Amino acid sequence: MRGAGYKNPTLQLLQTVSTLPPGFSSSMNTCGGILVHPSKKYIFTSNRGHDSLVVYRIVAGGALETVSYVHTGGMTPRHFEFDPSGRWCFIANQDTNDLSVFSFNVLTGALEPTLYKYYIPSPNFVLPFTNERKQLE
């Protein structure tokens, strides 16, 4: 988008990418969400049906390069979010009633499952936060 400070902001299509790996039928999948990583270097989308997150690296000119497809550890990823540091990704898998925790390496783009998984009936939303409180000055 060419907007801030421009007289006539416009959107321009730069690229079309699939959220699915080659060979997986799109008729068996719907997309769930799109999220920009806190580092602004990656974009993530969720697949309901393939039950995965796809990791894209943002490259020159704003184009996307597929890094990986990662199974969410459950079924029907309803929502996902990173903690404020961008190191931990929390995925709410609605149809398996769980929250899966993944670690993220901002240098490589690797999204890896951890051993942390929590039972939550039909989770629909994730909002990570820290207990740190910043003092007002």
Side-chain angles (χ1 to χ4, degrees):
M1 178 171 167
R2 300 178 192 267
Y6 290 89
K7 195 172 197 175
N8 297 310
T10 60
L11 291 175
Q12 179 182 3
L13 178 64
L14 298 177
Q15 179 184 18
T16 301
V17 294
S18 176
T19 65
L20 296 169
F24 193 87
S25 173
S26 63
S27 67
M28 299 170 58
N29 189 72
T30 57
C31 292
I34 300 172
L35 179 72
V36 177
H37 186 264
S39 70
K40 309 282 192 270
K41 296 179 180 180
Y42 297 91
I43 291 180
F44 298 78
T45 62
S46 61
N47 289 303
R48 298 175 188 159
H50 190 254
D51 297 325
S52 64
L53 291 189
V54 59
V55 182
Y56 301 103
R57 181 177 286 113
I58 302 171
V59 296
L64 301 180
E65 172 183 277
T66 303
V67 175
S68 64
Y69 304 91
V70 180
H71 192 273
T72 62
M75 293 172 47
T76 315
R78 180 59 48 195
H79 190 252
F80 64 100
E81 187 64 71
F82 281 88
D83 76 312
S85 76
R87 183 172 175 209
W88 306 105
C89 182
F90 302 89
I91 304 172
N93 294 301
Q94 182 178 12
D95 291 343
T96 46
N97 300 312
D98 59 56
L99 178 84
S100 296
V101 182
F102 286 70
S103 64
F104 182 68
N105 183 321
V106 74
L107 298 177
T108 65
L111 184 65
E112 301 284 339
T114 68
L115 298 176
Y116 298 102
K117 190 175 216 177
Y118 303 94
Y119 172 77
I120 300 173
S122 192
N124 280 274
F125 188 78
V126 179
L127 181 62
F129 65 93
T130 65
N131 286 333
E132 297 176 12
R133 295 183 179 164
K134 295 187 178 180
Q135 191 172 7
L136 297 176
E137 295 180 18

